[in-house]
Amino acid sequence: MAILICCSGCADTTTPQDVEQQRTDTITESNDKCQISDQVDAGLSNRQSPYNIVIIGDNTSKMIGGWVNIFANWVSTNHQRPVRIYEPASATSESAYREVQSVSLQIDSEAVNIFNANPENLTVHETALRIPTLLPTADMADHIDLILYSQGQNAGSRSLAKAALPSLKQLRNENPETHIVAILQNPWRPDADVSKTNELNISDLRTSLQINDFAAIDINQRFIEQPNWESLLDPTGTYPNADGYILWAAEVEKFASGDS
């Protein structure tokens, strides 16, 4: 899409080649996300091989009614596979996981394992320092198929993109066979504390992801598209309520089902 800006004393220098390149870049970005989405769907549909997902970040700790729990149940139903959710066995050893919930089906299929790294209440900066310890050990998962990076609620000042990008690059460099997908978290109610900072953080991260070729699940935009989207937030105006988490999980499952 070309944007024409007119001002006194300056002329538009956009060439047809520029317009075509912008169109091509947009298509390429869309195709890359769709390609990853299709590959994730194919992996989840292959019931003869375990599929391992690691979720890193904040806003993942609500086990009952949270988006991770809802997503796990939908994966089990839509892909006809048992799903097991694991969380760190202790606060000091994230790589050691314990099973906290399972969705069992009477079907001959390998499980989908979701490792919810869930460093609760850590800022994006603190999470960055723990990246090496957040992935499960080889005895629990001999490979990782998908990493979902969901950070934002505890970003503080306008530093989300600056702090998150090195973590995402580290994950990609150290796990070249793994799909790395970032989640752009929900908007905050305009009257919520530092709502404007959250808006800028998400915008900065969205731009940085595009520049650095990371796929993203844009929960933020999905919320804003809803009529009366503020009704999807809890009384604090910062976290989703039950309906908000259902919408969040639906968008992640849409991506995992090849529908992006």
Side-chain angles (χ1 to χ4, degrees):
M1 180 179 66
I3 301 177
L4 179 62
I5 302 177
C6 298
C7 60
S8 176
C10 65
D12 174 39
T13 59
T14 302
T15 66
Q17 292 79 8
D18 292 333
V19 174
E20 179 60 23
Q21 185 61 52
Q22 291 172 359
R23 187 185 72 83
T24 301
D25 290 346
T26 299
I27 292 173
T28 300
E29 176 189 335
S30 175
N31 286 343
D32 286 346
K33 180 181 178 182
C34 289
Q35 184 180 35
I36 293 174
S37 177
D38 288 342
Q39 290 172 354
V40 171
D41 177 50
L44 288 169
S45 299
N46 178 12
R47 301 190 185 97
Q48 304 311 309
S49 178
Y51 194 88
N52 298 315
I53 301 172
V54 177
I55 300 175
I56 295 175
D58 57 37
N59 216 338
T60 66
S61 60
K62 187 177 181 181
M63 182 48 59
I64 304 301
W67 73 266
V68 174
N69 171 266
I70 300 170
F71 170 62
N73 279 273
W74 283 350
V75 165
S76 181
T77 299
N78 295 342
H79 294 277
Q80 287 295 288
R81 300 184 64 169
V83 177
R84 299 187 180 95
I85 302 177
Y86 298 84
E87 288 189 351
S90 71
T92 58
S93 180
E94 286 86 355
S95 295
Y97 282 85
R98 61 184 176 88
E99 183 176 335
V100 295
Q101 186 180 355
S102 64
V103 184
S104 299
L105 295 176
Q106 298 301 317
I107 189 170
D108 183 19
S109 171
E110 292 284 351
V112 174
N113 301 303
I114 299 178
F115 297 91
N116 186 10
N118 184 23
E120 194 169 0
N121 296 323
L122 295 184
T123 67
V124 63
H125 308 86
E126 292 168 333
T127 298
L129 297 175
R130 294 199 189 182
I131 287 295
T133 69
L134 297 179
L135 304 185
T137 54
D139 62 318
M140 293 208 69
D142 60 3
H143 69 281
I144 298 171
D145 298 283
L146 173 65
I147 295 177
L148 296 175
Y149 181 93
S150 174
Q151 194 82 51
Q153 288 287 350
N154 295 317
S157 61
R158 187 177 175 180
S159 58
L160 176 59
K162 183 179 180 180
L165 202 58
S167 294
L168 288 163
K169 288 181 176 180
Q170 179 182 352
L171 288 167
R172 180 163 63 185
N173 291 339
E174 295 177 356
N175 303 275
E177 304 300 319
T178 301
H179 294 305
I180 313 294
V181 180
I183 290 177
L184 294 165
Q185 295 192 3
N186 62 276
W188 293 2
R189 201 171 57 225
D191 63 347
D193 188 31
V194 297
S195 172
K196 186 62 177 178
T197 300
N198 179 68
E199 180 182 339
L200 293 171
N201 270 325
I202 295 297
S203 178
D204 290 346
L205 182 56
R206 181 184 289 112
T207 300
S208 295
L209 294 173
Q210 292 171 348
I211 292 172
N212 290 275
D213 297 322
F214 282 101
I217 301 173
D218 201 336
I219 302 299
N220 188 277
Q221 184 61 36
R222 191 75 178 100
F223 267 69
I224 292 173
E225 290 171 353
Q226 307 306 306
N228 303 315
W229 64 265
E230 295 175 25
S231 66
L232 298 172
L233 302 176
D234 71 5
T236 70
T238 59
Y239 291 95
N241 57 22
D243 290 335
Y245 278 124
I246 290 173
L247 179 65
W248 184 320
E251 197 67 9
V252 178
E253 170 59 13
K254 177 182 175 182
F255 176 85
S257 296
D259 294 330
S260 288

